[in-house]
Amino acid sequence: MTADELRLGIDGGGSRTRFLLVDRDDRELARVETGPSNWLSVGKTLAGESLSQGIAQLPALPDVVCGGFAGAGSRENARFFSETLQTLVPRARIVVETDVFIAYVGALGLAPGTLVIAGTGSIALTRRPDGAMIRVGGWGPVFGDEGSGFWIGREAVREALRAADHQEYPDFVAKVERALEVRAVSEIVSRWASGGIGVSQIASLAPVVIKHYPEEPARRIIDQAAAHLRALALAADRKIDARTFPRSIVGSIGADPLMRQLIGLDFIAPIQSPERGAIAWGRTLFP
């Protein structure tokens, strides 16, 4: 095979990591999904395992790897992903970006516009006509990520704890308990403290809450989440002339039909997936 014949795009997030292997004609050769790779929330060991398992399932090793990862925003964090990938694919050219950037390239290319990402976390990215990229939100599960899957899940746990105390919404409480496989909702607190339940597990409650809509307290949680995502999109729009440039939204929460309806803004369909966006960006650096 000639150099740079196989290219791998990786979309590494807080809940799952997706791998797409293509040949030099952009034909899909393999698609793999593993666990989370945001080492800031799941630790370096689990993040490394997710990458290792994905690479191991490929039919051949790539010549160019471009990955976008949650938690790769700083030089130190990006180094972890770069070094891990270089160990797994020692002969490949490695490009590491944030998951937000490759999602933008996938959804809107390199044209000016706004992308809202609402999955495990939430963030918006705007590209101005001069090429400058500006972020809004995305400050992590502790201080931000309003409207995200984790935010919805955390609010669900809070509401379930209050409901159990006041003997309200027994059906909702039972659904939260079943989803997290606990005998009583109060167990979630101790399991979170001990590390038995993490960000991805709390975020997995989001579909449960959405499905419970419009019953309370799901209605209250989902309406608030949609309001947060709407505000995030509009804040990003203000960075450019939103009347001129497109707006898109991706992620498990952003793609949900109910959430799109409640957000109440116009979004165009993404051009392609974040993994494809990673491959496309890699081609601009290594033609």
Side-chain angles (χ1 to χ4, degrees):
M1 292 189 296
T2 59
D4 297 349
E5 187 170 357
L6 301 183
R7 294 172 181 265
L8 179 66
I10 306 175
D11 175 28
S15 296
R16 62 185 62 87
T17 304
R18 294 187 173 99
F19 302 76
L20 175 63
L21 183 69
V22 302
D23 64 16
R24 59 179 167 180
D25 296 319
D26 218 28
R27 289 185 296 241
E28 181 176 323
L29 301 178
R31 188 178 290 273
V32 175
E33 183 174 307
T34 62
S37 55
N38 182 351
W39 74 268
L40 294 177
S41 60
V42 302
K44 291 185 177 180
T45 299
L46 181 54
E49 289 175 355
S50 295
L51 293 176
S52 178
Q53 291 168 6
I55 298 295
Q57 295 180 58
L58 299 176
L61 293 180
D63 303 291
V64 174
V65 178
C66 182
F69 298 97
S74 71
R75 182 176 301 179
E76 177 187 355
N77 297 347
R79 186 183 304 117
F80 162 75
F81 294 108
S82 181
E83 292 176 351
T84 300
L85 289 170
Q86 202 70 72
T87 299
L88 296 170
V89 196
R91 296 184 180 180
R93 300 182 186 184
I94 307 293
V95 181
V96 172
E97 300 286 354
T98 66
D99 60 331
V100 181
F101 179 75
I102 60 118
Y104 186 98
V105 176
L108 296 171
L110 293 176
T114 294
L115 176 68
V116 177
I117 302 176
T120 300
S122 65
I123 190 172
L125 191 66
T126 291
R127 184 176 178 88
R128 297 193 318 203
D130 62 4
M133 307 293 287
I134 304 173
R135 63 176 282 172
V136 178
W139 303 118
V142 176
F143 298 112
D145 286 358
E146 293 87 354
S148 68
F150 176 80
W151 186 93
I152 292 172
R154 186 190 64 194
E155 293 303 302
V157 172
R158 286 178 171 174
E159 290 287 352
L161 288 167
R162 281 194 287 263
D165 283 341
H166 296 279
Q167 297 183 320
E168 298 175 334
Y169 309 123
D171 185 46
F172 182 81
V173 173
K175 287 181 178 180
V176 171
E177 291 170 343
R178 285 196 298 269
L180 292 181
E181 299 180 344
V182 296
R183 290 171 296 178
V185 69
S186 58
E187 290 181 22
I188 299 172
V189 178
S190 59
R191 289 186 60 185
W192 171 269
S194 67
I197 291 178
V199 170
S200 60
Q201 287 81 18
I202 296 299
S204 72
L205 288 173
V208 177
V209 182
I210 292 172
K211 189 174 181 179
H212 198 72
Y213 193 93
E215 301 298 322
E216 293 291 2
R219 174 187 285 274
R220 183 162 58 251
I221 297 170
I222 296 304
D223 284 348
Q224 289 175 353
H228 283 307
L229 294 176
R230 179 184 175 90
L232 183 68
L234 293 178
D237 283 349
R238 288 194 289 271
K239 305 294 182 179
I240 57 173
D241 186 350
R243 295 168 298 177
T244 304
F245 302 116
R247 180 200 301 123
S248 188
I249 188 168
V250 297
S252 58
I253 304 303
D256 183 86
L258 174 63
M259 295 302 302
R260 294 276 294 269
Q261 177 186 341
L262 293 174
I263 293 169
L265 298 174
D266 292 328
F267 296 100
I268 67 168
I271 299 171
Q272 55 190 357
S273 68
E275 309 95 89
R276 286 280 182 186
I279 292 171
W281 180 242
R283 288 192 188 280
T284 68
L285 302 177
F286 300 117

